[in-house]
Amino acid sequence: SVPADASNPASVVVSVLNISAALGSRAVLPCKSYRMVWTQDRLNDRQRVVHWDVYSTYYGDNKVERLCDMYSAGDQRVYSSYNQGRIFMPQSAFTDGNFSLVIKDVAESDEGMYSCNLHHHYCHLYETVKIQLDITKKGKEAKQYWDGEKAVIVALEGSTVTLPCVNRNHIWTERHSEEEQQVVHWDRQPPGVPHDRADRLIDLYASGERRSYGPLFIRQKMNITDTAFAVGDFSLWISELESADEGTYSCHLHHHYCGLHERRIYQVFVTEPVREKKVVNLTAHNTAPAVDPSVVRGHNVINVIIPESRIHFFQQLGYILATLLLFLVLLIIVVLVTRKRRQRGKSWKRAHLKEVNLKEFTVDTTDLTQYKSEDIRLDYKNNILKEKAEQARSFPAKIIDLDKGTNDLLHP
């Protein structure tokens, strides 16, 4: 067996599929790509193009203008009549990779941001180079430098300036035979075998060259069609599936000319074929029918109830205990609040009752003392009134024990 090619570990995995097929049947591992790069060859002409654009604010319109373009199989085209013969690219651009733009007799209106755009439509590749062009009237200020993002050229007004754009990658300069650059190959990994030790099954080139690996029976039962590169269908056909055919299959598409690499992975499982069951009609008699040896008996189905795991049980128990704990906390809070309110009510009642009793038994004795000490001199009309007045002055003040009266009321 030939080991798989691991030279492209960075290939893009496009899809991963699981495929199950019955034992003895024919399986198809679908590997399809209808992109032009995989289905059409010999399309070198008019597939590569370069064009120069400029973003200028000189006239205040702030727009992007197409200056010129050139295809790999055609002449360059200048869009403005003003620039005819004044700007151009080398005719050998697609040979030596020099796509620089030459501007003669530069003027202030040529200031702006220039972009060199390379497009390879066949390979779906796009590259852009940006250059800032500034015009000066002083020769000492003419220079070129890099500002960290792009090249900046300060050119003297009236001089000839060259905006550099060089790319010597082979896809822009060389016309390889793409039939030799396109290849598809299938690999297989038996169960437990790593990817770097997979077996190569088939190699198929766009030119029609085919290489099959492994024993003869493997080459006979696994194959892909000869029109794979014409229709973009690189599917692998596996006939007469066996249990030994299980494993991981991978379809690798390589386009070395464009630098494209795609990979599709398939996990193949082989299952037992589904056998037909013969239905036997039972008669109304109690006797069981005779066993027919020619009848294929189906498998007995046993329903097994798997109890819930302990983790699930403890999880439910935790929910219940947390709910009970929350209810208990709420109940304790309600009891404490109620008890506190009752205590406040009793203390307020006692204070209010004491205040009322004090108001009832308060006696001001200052007036009695004052009146007793004073020498009241009054003119009375008769002796009877005078005698009564003297008795009133000599009547002793009554002493009242306030604490005794309050205690009697509180404790009857």
Side-chain angles (χ1 to χ4, degrees), residues 332-376:
I332 293 173
I333 292 174
V334 172
V335 172
L336 293 176
V337 171
T338 305
R339 186 175 181 181
K340 192 172 183 180
R341 287 189 175 181
R342 288 181 178 178
Q343 291 178 354
R344 288 182 178 179
K346 288 182 178 180
S347 61
W348 179 85
K349 186 176 180 181
R350 291 180 179 179
H352 182 68
L353 185 58
K354 184 176 181 179
E355 182 181 357
V356 171
N357 293 332
L358 291 175
K359 288 181 179 180
E360 290 179 355
F361 290 93
T362 301
V363 177
D364 191 0
T365 59
T366 56
D367 295 340
L368 295 177
T369 307
Q370 182 179 3
Y371 288 133
K372 184 177 180 181
S373 59
E374 290 181 354
D375 186 12
I376 303 174

Side-chain angles (χ1 to χ4, degrees), residues 157-311:
E157 185 178 7
S159 64
T160 299
V161 64
T162 300
L163 307 184
C165 180
V166 179
N167 192 327
R168 294 188 172 89
N169 194 301
H170 70 275
I171 64 173
W172 305 111
T173 59
E174 299 176 6
R175 300 178 61 176
H176 290 288
S177 175
E178 295 175 10
E179 293 181 350
E180 299 176 359
Q181 298 294 318
Q182 291 176 262
V183 61
V184 56
H185 64 80
W186 278 88
D187 295 338
R188 174 180 176 270
Q189 302 169 235
V193 176
H195 172 67
D196 56 351
R197 299 186 60 185
D199 297 329
R200 177 65 54 82
L201 298 176
I202 300 172
D203 284 338
L204 179 63
Y205 291 84
S207 59
E209 181 183 356
R210 178 191 296 267
R211 300 175 186 175
S212 299
Y213 305 92
L216 180 61
F217 73 94
I218 292 291
R219 287 182 272 174
Q220 290 177 347
K221 69 183 301 183
M222 299 183 184
N223 213 334
I224 56 179
T225 62
D226 295 332
T227 60
F229 283 98
V231 297
D233 188 354
F234 309 94
S235 302
L236 179 68
W237 298 77
I238 306 176
S239 59
E240 298 180 1
L241 273 177
E242 301 177 0
S243 300
D245 295 328
E246 288 188 343
T248 302
Y249 293 75
S250 56
C251 173
H252 301 257
L253 292 173
H254 299 289
H255 201 303
H256 299 286
Y257 172 80
C258 295
L260 300 178
H261 307 280
E262 296 180 0
R263 179 158 53 106
R264 293 166 175 82
I265 302 174
Y266 310 87
Q267 187 70 36
V268 178
F269 303 94
V270 180
T271 60
E272 292 288 337
V274 179
R275 299 181 180 180
E276 297 182 358
K277 297 182 180 180
K278 185 176 180 180
V279 180
V280 179
N281 294 327
L282 301 177
T283 60
H285 301 287
N286 294 330
T287 58
V291 178
D292 189 356
S294 63
V295 177
V296 179
R297 303 185 66 181
H299 299 285
N300 294 327
V301 179
I302 302 175
N303 295 327
V304 179
I305 300 175
I306 301 177
E308 296 179 346
S309 62
R310 289 186 175 182
I311 297 177

Side-chain angles (χ1 to χ4, degrees), residues 383-398:
N383 294 330
I384 297 174
L385 294 176
K386 183 179 180 181
E387 184 178 354
K388 289 182 179 181
E390 291 177 356
Q391 290 179 359
R393 285 196 302 267
S394 63
F395 187 78
K398 186 178 181 180

Side-chain angles (χ1 to χ4, degrees), residues 52 114-118 127-131 146 151 164-167:
W52 278 89
Y114 289 76
S115 60
C116 173
N117 304 279
L118 294 171
E127 297 182 11
T128 300
V129 177
K130 292 186 177 182
I131 302 172
W146 178 261
C165 180
V166 179
N167 192 327

